[in-house]
Amino acid sequence: MLILGLESTCDESSASILEAPTDILVNVVKSQIDDLKKYGGVVPEIASRLHLNYLIGTINEALEKSSKSISDIDLIAVSHRPGLLGGLLVGTTIAKTLSLLLKKPLIMVDHLYGHLVASDLDKGIQYPCVAGIFSGAHSNIYYGKDDLTWEMICKSRDDAPGEAFDKVSKLMGLGYPGGPAIQKIAENRNDKMFKIPSPVPKSLNGDFSFSGIKTHILYQIKGSNAKTACPKENYPDLAASFQKSVAEGLSKRLIDCALEKNVKNIYIGGGVAANQILRSYLQEKSNEQGIKSEYPPLSLCVDNAAMIARAGYILHESGVKSNLSDNVYSRSVWGLDC
Ligand code: KG4
Ligand code: ZN
């Protein structure tokens, strides 16, 4: 069975062809980063117009690279939540049109479910497990009982970690996207020079908060309460201290959740899961507890349509059906109704 996956929730236009169950024939991702850099981040209206320009091109490229024709496709999977509504409308309208014309089933996928099952396309997921989605918009940890049964354990009360990386990067004049820029300048720098608040404040019962960290860095950079501003030459140390605090907070919370749920496998996904310090810190600390942590390759951490195709396939096999009247939504409901 060949599944065409489509992704357009934020600033990546992506089309993938997956040979069921897990063989990625092609995963074309057209990032809008170069177009959006001049605005300092994602502008929803501009992003949706760029999806309109790019998405059909990614489908054609995927078909060409996999030597398949559109009539070979058996199932169409598309993200319909959570995300920017304009982009979601572009993706779902293309998917619905293809489904109608080709008379092939359509599956609407929660994008966060896509991130959760992305690890299936790498080494495979062993259930039960705990999985964290850390991206530009989310900081959620889930308990996965089996491939269809997920329960959200905790979330962020305000910003997401990717958003914090992006904002700190902007404050340091490093531009967008912030994650890779912060990771780069922080390399081999002193991550103990600055004391940064934890993203898991005691008062939030295990939920995350990133707004305090962001404000803390703002005060460090601008100076406050008679404190002098951090000199520019120390920005890399400030970036390293910030990155370490985020990596430690996310890892510690993941490991605590795994211990609470008595599971031996942790997975991470979403753009921030590409962070090398988070990856190595999580692996080291989870190993100490006898827990295995896995993360997919970078190409499957960031937004991509292969993970949407995989999620669509699992839903289709379980009998889930979508139809042409299904809508788009800005919020996820994945793992909230278990
Ligand atoms: O999952 P994703 O591609 O899109 C969303 O669904 O949000 O995540 C994008 C976010 C951005 O905020 C970006 O700065 C962050 O992931 N990111 C990183 C790294 N690479 C991307 N954050 C930390 N370290 C990285 N290496
Ligand atoms: Zn995402």
Side-chain angles (χ1 to χ4, degrees):
M1 176 186 238
L2 285 185
I3 304 120
L4 172 68
L6 297 178
E7 159 61 31
S8 59
T9 55
C10 188
D11 58 350
E12 269 91 22
S13 310
S14 177
S16 173
I17 299 176
L18 185 79
E19 174 128 40
T22 55
D23 192 8
I24 304 172
L25 301 188
V26 62
N27 190 20
V28 179
V29 181
K30 172 72 185 125
S31 167
Q32 303 179 353
I33 284 174
D34 286 343
D35 302 283
L36 296 171
K37 255 184 186 151
K38 57 178 172 285
Y39 305 104
V42 182
V43 180
E45 180 59 24
I46 293 171
S48 57
R49 284 167 194 269
L50 290 168
H51 285 302
L52 210 49
N53 290 348
Y54 293 147
L55 201 54
I56 290 180
T58 64
I59 298 173
N60 288 332
E61 191 178 331
L63 291 169
E64 204 173 301
K65 284 192 168 151
S66 60
S67 307
K68 299 289 178 196
S69 118
I70 192 77
S71 55
D72 296 329
I73 300 297
D74 302 299
L75 172 69
I76 297 147
V78 62
S79 318
H80 78 133
R81 70 190 313 160
L84 303 170
L85 294 179
L88 292 172
L89 280 170
V90 173
T92 53
T93 304
I94 293 173
K96 287 177 183 182
T97 308
L98 287 174
S99 163
L100 192 67
L101 289 174
L102 300 170
K103 299 187 177 55
K104 293 293 158 74
L106 170 73
I107 291 281
M108 305 282 213
V109 174
D110 191 309
H111 174 85
L112 297 191
Y113 180 42
H115 277 303
L116 286 170
V117 295
S119 294
D120 259 345
L121 299 170
D122 182 31
K123 298 193 186 77
I125 299 179
Q126 284 180 288
Y127 295 94
C129 67
V130 155
I133 303 303
F134 306 125
S135 70
H138 295 92
S139 191
N140 299 347
I141 297 182
Y142 298 82
Y143 167 61
K145 199 169 160 207
D146 56 54
D147 60 4
L148 280 167
T149 320
W150 294 82
E151 169 203 339
M152 193 198 284
I153 304 174
C154 59
K155 61 182 187 309
S156 174
R157 299 279 182 98
D158 42 55
D159 291 355
E163 210 174 347
F165 271 96
D166 293 339
K167 286 177 178 167
V168 169
S169 173
K170 199 171 182 180
L171 284 170
M172 292 184 181
L174 298 174
Y176 174 83
I182 293 282
Q183 180 174 302
K184 189 149 183 270
I185 64 154
E187 240 169 67
N188 301 319
R189 296 299 292 238
N190 182 0
D191 60 11
K192 295 184 188 71
M193 185 178 282
F194 295 89
K195 196 171 161 20
I196 310 290
S198 163
V200 197
K202 286 209 174 67
S203 56
L204 295 185
N205 295 325
D207 273 351
F208 296 105
S209 168
F210 293 89
S211 60
I213 303 184
K214 189 190 67 194
T215 311
H216 183 91
I217 307 270
L218 173 74
Y219 289 156
Q220 290 281 358
I221 286 180
K222 304 266 183 224
S224 73
N225 299 334
K227 267 197 199 154
T228 49
C230 168
K232 271 206 168 141
E233 63 264 28
N234 289 134
Y235 281 7
D237 305 303
L238 184 57
S241 306
F242 157 75
Q243 180 175 242
K244 177 168 161 260
S245 167
V246 173
E248 278 182 2
L250 298 181
S251 302
K252 186 171 179 320
R253 191 66 190 107
L254 277 167
I255 293 166
D256 283 350
C257 290
L259 292 171
E260 269 165 39
K261 295 286 183 187
N262 196 23
V263 305
K264 294 286 175 209
N265 296 289
I266 292 177
Y267 300 91
I268 52 173
V272 179
N275 186 270
Q276 293 301 337
I277 300 297
L278 169 62
R279 286 170 169 243
S280 53
Y281 190 86
L282 174 62
Q283 193 142 56
E284 183 194 326
K285 294 294 164 189
S286 57
N287 279 349
E288 286 172 15
Q289 299 286 341
I291 297 167
K292 210 163 122 197
S293 56
E294 301 271 6
Y295 25 74
L298 302 192
S299 57
L300 294 173
C301 285
V302 294
D303 289 349
N304 70 91
M307 67 183 196
I308 302 303
R310 170 68 190 160
Y313 173 71
I314 301 171
L315 293 171
H316 180 259
E317 287 301 284
S318 73
V320 171
K321 288 187 173 36
S322 301
N323 58 59
L324 297 178
S325 61
D326 284 355
N327 215 334
V328 297
Y329 304 91
S330 59
R331 291 186 178 275
S332 170
V333 286
W334 195 255
L336 294 178
D337 52 358
C338 290

